């Protein structure tokens, strides 16, 4: 009688792991399909438009069904926030990411994307959303991790090195492939693609920082916020495409790889992943979810070598190792920060009792801060990193 209980308990505990591993395969598929579509001649401006049109069509009905009650008023400041979020995410981030993906490779693009937690930390410090305490080990870990991550990105950008041959790559594909041609692999295009990917990641981190403020209004209507950002982003992307692409033929799309790439990215990456990753973050926390991101890079490297005959260079391998090391250093610092703040929350009731006995009301603002943190994160955070914590929770709102 105990064995079924043990099995059910194991399966229940394993659900978050299976979910995150499945999501990494989903993200990897998006990168592979997008690379094939872009190399096939599809404009990345048009791909962004169709992707977010699909995402809006999928997310908006759920927002209407589950969040139609007590919708926040869209005042002018709220509209400006939504407009800027759409500009940073669907327009700047996605266009630069797809452009960088076209000039480099899926594995390289995934590796650069792992810089996101470090870049978000830097932007939070710049905008005084997180205070640095150099005497704390957790803060030192985040600073060192950020420096190592940047070093890895610079190494990948400035040094390619010799080709690293996969064991199976010599036998499973012909010399000509989707991913390799004389112009796409030139050093000039590779450097240009690297810069595009870094700009995309900066825009992505800026989006998360700004989401902190938007979520104060939409704290109970996150599906609505996501659908609004995707819808406004689609309109902005259409305007950008009209400016950058002057041929009407670029809009043509049939039942081919281009349609599959746009639909897959919009439905799987920007819609289904929102729900699944949201559940995982709610149960296990944002650090757990982010820790799986290097797995996507490994999956893409393997699939890319099979499907695209992608060439992997030594500089990319060494840079990826540094970026992953830096990523986990930053995540370790965030984890220690979360543990400290949970312990701090448990001590608050005693402090309140002491204040009540002494007749002081100084603890009242602290209670308000804690309640605000619980609303934003659901995991406890201090004033030093309240906004950044909310930022980490909502990495799922505009997934790549």
């Amino acid at each position: 009688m105990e064995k079924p209980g043990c099995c059910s308990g194991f399966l229940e505990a394993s659900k978050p792991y299976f979910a995150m591993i499945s999501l990494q395969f989903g993200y990897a598929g998006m990168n592979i399909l997008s690379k094939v579509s872009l190399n096939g001649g599809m404009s990345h401006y048009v791909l962004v438009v169709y992707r977010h049109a699909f995402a809006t069509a999928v997310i908006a009905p759920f927002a209407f069904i589950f969040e139609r009650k007590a919708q926040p008023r869209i005042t002018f400041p709220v509209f400006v926030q939504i407009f800027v979020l759409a500009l940073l995410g669907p327009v700047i981030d996605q266009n630069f990411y797809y452009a960088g993906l076209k000039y480099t490779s899926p594995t390289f693009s995934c590796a650069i994307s792992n810089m996101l937690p470090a870049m978000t930390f830097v932007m939070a410090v710049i905008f005084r959303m997180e205070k640095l305490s150099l005497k704390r080990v957790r803060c030192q870990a985040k600073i060192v991790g950020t420096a190592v991550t940047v070093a890895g990105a610079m190494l990948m950008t400035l040094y390619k090195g010799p080709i690293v041959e996969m064991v199976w790559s010599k036998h499973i594909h012909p010399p000509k492939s989707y991913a390799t041609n004389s112009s796409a692999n030139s050093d000039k295009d590779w450097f240009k693609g690297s810069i595009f990917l870094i700009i995309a990641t900066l825009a992505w981190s800026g989006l998360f920082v700004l989401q902190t403020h938007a979520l104060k209004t939409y704290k109970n209507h996150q599906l609505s916020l996501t659908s609004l950002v995707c819808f406004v982003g689609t309109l902005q992307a259409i305007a950008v495409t009209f400016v950058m692409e002057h041929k009407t033929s670029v809009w043509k799309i049939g039942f081919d790889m281009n349609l599959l790439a746009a639909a897959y990215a919009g439905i799987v990456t920007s819609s289904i992943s929102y729900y699944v990753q949201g559940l995982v973050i709610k149960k296990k926390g944002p650090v757990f979810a982010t820790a799986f991101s290097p797995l996507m890079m490994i999956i893409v490297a393997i699939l890319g070598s099979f499907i695209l005959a992608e060439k992997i260079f030594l500089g990319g391998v060494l840079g990826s190792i540094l970026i992953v090391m830096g990523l986990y250093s930053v995540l370790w610092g965030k984890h220690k920060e979360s543990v400290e703040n949970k312990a701090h929350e448990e001590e608050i009731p005693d402090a309140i009792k002491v204040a009540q006995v002494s007749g002081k009301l100084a603890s009242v603002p602290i209670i308000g801060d804690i309640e605000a943190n619980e609303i934003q994160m659901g995991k406890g955070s201090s004033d030093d990193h309240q906004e950044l914590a909310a930022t980490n929770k909502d990495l799922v709102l505009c997934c790549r």
Side-chain angles (χ1 to χ4, degrees):
M1 295 296 293
E2 295 180 0
K3 289 184 178 180
C6 294
C7 292
S8 62
F10 172 77
L11 291 175
E12 185 66 25
S14 302
K15 283 182 180 179
Y17 296 90
F18 289 136
M20 290 309 304
I21 292 172
S22 299
L23 282 183
Q24 303 314 310
F25 276 97
Y27 295 146
M30 185 277 294
N31 280 276
I32 298 296
L33 290 175
S34 299
K35 178 65 173 178
V36 173
S37 178
L38 292 170
N39 282 356
M42 186 177 189
S43 168
H44 64 83
Y45 298 106
V46 177
L47 179 57
V48 170
V49 172
Y50 286 137
R51 168 181 174 164
H52 288 90
F54 277 109
T56 304
V58 173
I59 298 174
F62 290 98
F64 177 77
I65 294 171
F66 297 110
E67 299 179 352
R68 58 184 173 182
K69 295 181 179 180
Q71 279 283 336
R73 291 184 58 189
I74 302 181
T75 61
F76 181 74
V78 172
F79 174 77
V80 170
Q81 290 180 359
I82 294 173
F83 185 89
V84 176
L85 282 173
L87 186 65
L88 288 172
V91 178
I92 298 177
D93 169 43
Q94 294 298 311
N95 275 299
F96 276 104
Y97 182 79
Y98 281 139
L101 177 62
K102 183 176 182 179
Y103 285 122
T104 57
S105 69
T107 305
F108 186 92
S109 302
C110 292
I112 294 294
S113 296
N114 285 320
M115 295 176 61
L116 177 65
M119 286 189 173
T120 306
F121 168 69
V122 171
M123 294 193 72
V125 172
I126 292 174
F127 290 103
R128 298 183 179 180
M129 300 173 71
E130 177 159 337
K131 295 180 182 179
L132 290 178
S133 180
L134 299 179
K135 295 181 179 180
R136 293 180 177 270
V137 177
R138 59 174 173 80
C139 196
Q140 296 172 1
K142 287 192 281 188
I143 294 173
V144 172
T146 300
V148 172
T149 299
V150 173
M154 291 180 63
L155 178 62
M156 293 181 69
T157 302
L158 301 176
Y159 173 71
K160 289 179 69 174
I163 296 175
V164 178
E165 290 288 349
M166 297 291 183
V167 177
W168 57 81
S169 60
K170 297 179 180 180
H171 310 288
I172 62 172
H173 52 69
K176 186 178 180 180
S177 67
Y178 290 108
T180 56
N181 58 66
S182 59
S183 61
N185 285 329
S186 67
D187 292 338
K188 182 179 179 180
D189 286 345
W190 193 270
F191 180 79
K192 186 193 300 183
S194 303
I195 299 301
F196 286 164
L197 291 171
I198 292 173
I199 293 173
T201 308
L202 280 172
W204 201 9
S205 61
L207 178 143
F208 295 144
V209 172
L210 181 59
Q211 273 181 356
T212 304
H213 301 284
L215 286 168
K216 293 177 182 178
T217 304
Y218 285 89
K219 56 181 176 288
N220 297 321
H221 299 81
Q222 295 184 13
L223 281 172
S224 301
L225 177 61
T226 304
S227 59
L228 286 171
V229 170
C230 288
F231 175 70
V232 176
T234 302
L235 299 180
Q236 292 177 348
I238 291 174
V240 171
T241 305
F242 277 131
V243 173
M244 302 302 296
E245 299 285 358
H246 304 290
K247 296 180 180 179
T248 57
S249 59
V250 298
W251 293 95
K252 293 181 180 180
I253 190 170
F255 291 95
D256 52 13
M257 183 59 68
N258 295 342
L259 177 63
L260 178 61
Y264 183 95
I267 296 173
V268 176
T269 311
S270 297
S271 301
I272 295 177
S273 64
Y274 169 81
Y275 177 74
V276 175
Q277 193 166 347
L279 291 178
V280 173
I281 287 177
K282 186 176 181 180
K283 185 173 183 179
K284 303 290 288 186
V287 174
F288 176 87
T290 311
F292 283 82
S293 59
L295 177 61
M296 174 181 63
M297 180 176 63
I298 298 172
I299 296 170
V300 169
I302 296 173
L303 293 179
S305 64
F306 273 105
I307 300 172
L308 304 175
E310 177 186 341
K311 292 182 178 180
I312 299 176
F313 297 92
L314 179 61
V317 174
L318 297 177
S320 299
I321 293 173
L322 287 177
I323 288 177
V324 171
M325 290 173 59
L327 169 68
Y328 281 117
S329 179
V330 173
L331 293 180
W332 182 85
K334 291 182 182 297
H335 172 70
K336 296 295 291 184
E337 191 173 47
S338 174
V339 171
E340 289 180 11
N341 289 312
K342 285 181 180 179
H344 176 70
E345 278 192 12
E346 293 176 357
E347 296 174 0
I348 291 298
D350 295 332
I352 294 172
K353 291 177 182 178
V354 173
Q356 288 177 344
V357 171
S358 61
K360 296 179 182 179
L361 300 177
S363 60
V364 174
I366 298 177
I367 300 174
D369 290 341
I370 294 172
E371 291 175 347
N373 289 341
E374 290 175 348
I375 289 173
Q376 289 186 18
M377 265 302 287
K379 63 169 258 190
S381 55
S382 67
D383 292 337
D384 293 353
H385 75 297
Q386 175 181 347
E387 290 85 354
L388 182 62
T391 292
N392 290 332
K393 172 181 179 289
D394 292 282
L395 298 182
V396 295
L397 289 184
C398 290
C399 299
R400 280 185 181 162

